[in-house]
Amino acid sequence: MDFLLMLLYWFPLLYFIIFLWKIVDKKRHQSCYILDYECYKPADDRMLSTKFCGEVIRRNKQLGLNEYKFLLKAIVSSGIGEQTYAPKMVFHGREQCPTYEDGIVEMDEFFQDSIDKLLKRTGILPSEIDILVVNISMLACIASLSSRIINQYKLREDVKVYNLTGMGCSASLISINIVQNIFKTMKNKYALVVTSESLSPNWYSGNDRSMILANCLFRSGGCAMILTNKVALKNKAMFKLKCLVRTHHGAKDESYNCCIQKEDEKNQIGFHLGKNLPKAATRAFVDNLKEIAPKILPVRELVRFLVVSYGRKMKRGSNKDGGASRPVINFKTGVDHFCIHTGGKAVIDGIGQSLILSEYDLEPARMTLHRFGNTSASSLWYVLGYMEAKKRLKKGDRVFMISFGAGFKCNSCLWEVVRDLGNENVWSDCIDNYPPKTLANPFLEKYGWIQDEDPNTFHIPDDYVIP
């Protein structure tokens, strides 16, 4: 009798303890960690010097003096240096007539280099990969690029596969979000995320200024990373995902059309970057910050911002101090490092101004743009690599990633550094030279004479001799 009473007494308590343990255990296994990542660096013979860029521009017979002046201004103000990379077909002089194989070969080179290095360094076998997410926005093929990886590395038949196209520069965080959601329902898994862009079949050879601009900004690159939710590996991981927010303004016509692939008047396909792109990006950025700020910033900063905002509103209502500056939320109260998409110098400057960031905060993005250019969805990981190579990332630091993409989209997330990091990674051969004393582009020095040319007498020199 006493035993039954004791059992009746302890059974509800035991059931409650087991119930709590299941909740805690489930939450532990829902965590998303980056175990390691590998950025791609093409061979040196794919490097774009100022001289060679001039030759590529000269090969486009559809360009006139006004287009030359536009390109000169764009390149000089782009923030891009002389060590970025382009596809092989550009060096073979075939950018106006690329083949299907050019795009496939470009991706294969990236896959074989980055995935091989990543698997070797982590010691993970291809057969251990449970989830594969591949995002290459502007190259859709049959069989898919994800199937190509599965075939090359002989992944398991039950691997969960996601092949993303058309997602633009913000695609890598979309891939992370897919993995994050899968981890919520499956325990002890490995995910391989592969992100890049295929430039070979998408080089624009027309004279539409809104499309020529893409040639000036986009460069070859890519990144492969392995994520896991294995609790046993949490101390070996590099980063833990704390929060991820996606904002999509595709329902707005202006946002949808500002960044889109289309044909020009001569039916040549190119990537259009509209004049209203900054406005669309700003709106998406603001909406994204409104959602993610309460998730990542301390309560004291949110309260301070609300109080200051309310005070300013009251003053404006009473016509006092109507010209007071607009209150700004301080993201540095909850963020240690800012990993900004290298969409261009204007993008970096705009985000820096909006968040009141210092040159130290913006340095990783500026240097990545200078060294590697805009590598589309993979650019965030080159920026992260710069921070790591500079030994800025310490255990417990919080890294805020911000990316933009066609659609129009703004995606952001917050990572926590799990352990001190200091691998020089893809920056190993040049990190000691960064930041350089000057980011001045040599194009103005070599081709500045174009600004003084007369449209009536201008002709393109056959050998491009500079006076």
Side-chain angles (χ1 to χ4, degrees):
M1 191 68 177
D2 291 341
F3 175 75
L4 289 175
L5 289 173
M6 186 177 296
L7 188 63
L8 289 172
Y9 174 77
W10 283 104
F11 182 77
L13 181 61
L14 182 62
Y15 178 82
F16 182 68
I17 292 173
I18 293 174
F19 177 74
L20 286 179
W21 168 250
K22 286 184 177 180
I23 294 176
V24 173
D25 185 59
K26 183 179 180 180
K27 189 173 180 62
R28 288 170 68 232
H29 284 89
Q30 288 181 349
S31 296
C32 181
Y33 299 95
I34 291 181
L35 201 58
D36 207 342
Y37 67 102
E38 179 70 35
C39 291
Y40 173 53
K41 184 170 68 173
D44 289 346
D45 61 1
R46 300 259 301 277
M47 199 173 285
L48 285 172
S49 65
T50 297
K51 180 180 178 181
F52 184 72
C53 283
E55 293 175 2
V56 173
I57 294 172
R58 179 171 59 89
R59 290 202 295 251
N60 186 349
K61 303 303 181 182
Q62 298 188 49
L63 302 181
L65 178 59
N66 290 333
E67 286 78 24
Y68 271 83
K69 288 183 177 181
F70 173 78
L71 282 173
L72 176 66
K73 182 179 179 181
I75 294 174
V76 169
S77 62
S78 68
I80 294 179
E82 291 195 284
Q83 292 183 303
T84 59
Y85 303 96
K88 279 185 176 179
M89 56 85 189
V90 175
F91 295 89
H92 295 164
R94 293 189 292 103
E95 65 271 10
Q96 296 189 44
C97 54
T99 64
Y100 170 79
E101 192 66 19
D102 286 328
I104 298 297
V105 169
E106 182 184 9
M107 291 298 98
D108 278 345
E109 289 178 345
F110 157 56
F111 294 157
Q112 293 166 11
D113 180 87
S114 298
I115 297 177
D116 284 2
K117 289 178 180 177
L118 183 62
L119 293 176
K120 182 179 180 180
R121 191 164 61 246
T122 58
I124 295 173
L125 299 175
S127 60
E128 295 180 276
I129 300 299
D130 304 289
I131 304 155
L132 172 64
V133 184
V134 179
N135 65 74
I136 312 294
S137 288
M138 299 177 71
L139 178 63
C141 58
I142 300 177
S144 66
L145 291 170
S146 56
S147 295
R148 202 169 180 85
I149 293 174
I150 290 171
N151 176 262
Q152 182 173 343
Y153 291 94
K154 309 305 177 187
L155 302 188
R156 299 197 316 267
E157 293 181 359
D158 63 343
V159 63
K160 306 295 182 184
V161 187
Y162 299 84
N163 194 88
L164 309 182
T165 60
M167 293 296 173
C169 298
S170 63
S172 64
L173 294 192
I174 296 174
S175 299
I176 297 292
N177 191 214
I178 290 174
V179 173
Q180 179 191 26
N181 289 331
I182 295 174
F183 281 173
K184 290 178 181 179
T185 60
M186 303 172 68
K187 290 184 179 181
N188 299 318
K189 301 299 179 182
Y190 284 121
L192 173 62
V193 173
V194 181
T195 176
S196 183
E197 190 56 88
S198 178
L199 301 184
S200 294
N202 297 293
W203 194 276
Y204 178 66
S205 299
N207 60 3
D208 188 308
R209 294 188 184 186
S210 70
M211 299 184 186
I212 293 175
L213 197 57
N215 290 352
C216 299
L217 295 175
F218 289 100
R219 297 291 185 266
S220 296
C223 181
M225 66 199 82
I226 290 181
L227 297 93
T228 186
N229 62 345
K230 293 189 176 186
V231 178
L233 296 177
K234 67 178 183 179
N235 293 324
K236 293 183 179 180
M238 303 176 74
F239 306 95
K240 178 181 179 180
L241 183 61
K242 304 294 289 183
C243 177
L244 191 150
V245 170
R246 293 165 56 182
T247 302
H248 203 306
H249 280 186
K252 297 179 173 66
D253 290 342
E254 187 178 34
S255 296
Y256 175 80
N257 291 308
C258 72
C259 187
I260 191 171
Q261 188 179 27
K262 67 176 187 178
E263 292 181 336
D264 64 11
E265 294 179 350
K266 297 181 180 179
N267 299 323
Q268 290 184 295
I269 296 177
F271 195 66
H272 165 75
L273 300 174
K275 293 181 179 180
N276 59 338
L277 177 58
K279 181 179 178 181
T282 300
R283 287 191 304 206
F285 182 47
V286 170
D287 285 353
N288 187 274
L289 291 183
K290 287 179 181 178
E291 185 175 350
I292 199 170
K295 301 176 186 291
I296 67 175
L297 298 182
V299 174
R300 67 179 185 278
E301 174 58 21
L302 298 174
V303 172
R304 182 202 68 80
F305 178 74
L306 289 175
V307 170
V308 174
S309 299
Y310 181 75
R312 179 174 182 267
K313 184 177 180 180
M314 293 299 292
K315 288 181 179 180
R316 290 182 64 183
S318 60
N319 293 324
K320 294 180 179 179
D321 198 22
S325 60
R326 187 175 182 179
V328 178
I329 197 164
N330 184 7
F331 272 78
K332 290 188 179 183
T333 58
V335 176
D336 300 293
H337 309 282
F338 294 84
C339 191
I340 302 169
H341 168 55
T342 58
K345 185 177 181 295
V347 172
I348 299 171
D349 289 344
I351 293 177
Q353 185 177 4
S354 298
L355 300 183
I356 315 181
L357 303 182
S358 67
E359 277 305 312
Y360 177 86
D361 298 320
L362 299 176
E363 180 185 309
R366 291 198 195 283
M367 297 308 109
T368 299
L369 179 63
H370 183 268
R371 175 63 181 84
F372 293 99
N374 180 354
T375 56
S376 189
S378 64
S379 67
L380 288 173
W381 309 100
Y382 289 88
V383 179
L384 191 66
Y386 182 89
M387 297 177 186
E388 184 185 358
K390 282 293 185 181
K391 297 179 171 55
R392 293 187 179 188
L393 303 179
K394 305 300 180 183
K395 182 178 179 180
D397 283 358
R398 292 153 70 90
V399 183
F400 185 38
M401 279 188 170
I402 310 165
S403 67
F404 300 92
F408 190 84
K409 301 182 288 290
C410 177
N411 301 330
S412 65
C413 69
L414 186 73
W415 298 95
E416 180 183 335
V417 182
V418 177
R419 53 185 171 84
D420 291 350
L421 301 175
N423 184 7
E424 292 186 346
N425 52 71
V426 72
W427 290 88
S428 60
D429 66 335
C430 61
I431 192 63
D432 292 336
N433 299 324
Y434 278 85
K437 294 181 179 179
T438 177
L439 295 178
N441 192 297
F443 253 85
L444 189 60
E445 178 183 345
K446 293 187 178 183
Y447 302 119
W449 55 272
I450 291 176
Q451 299 285 27
D452 300 323
E453 287 292 304
D454 185 340
N456 298 318
T457 59
F458 174 74
H459 70 280
I460 303 170
D462 293 333
D463 55 0
Y464 231 25
V465 176
I466 309 302

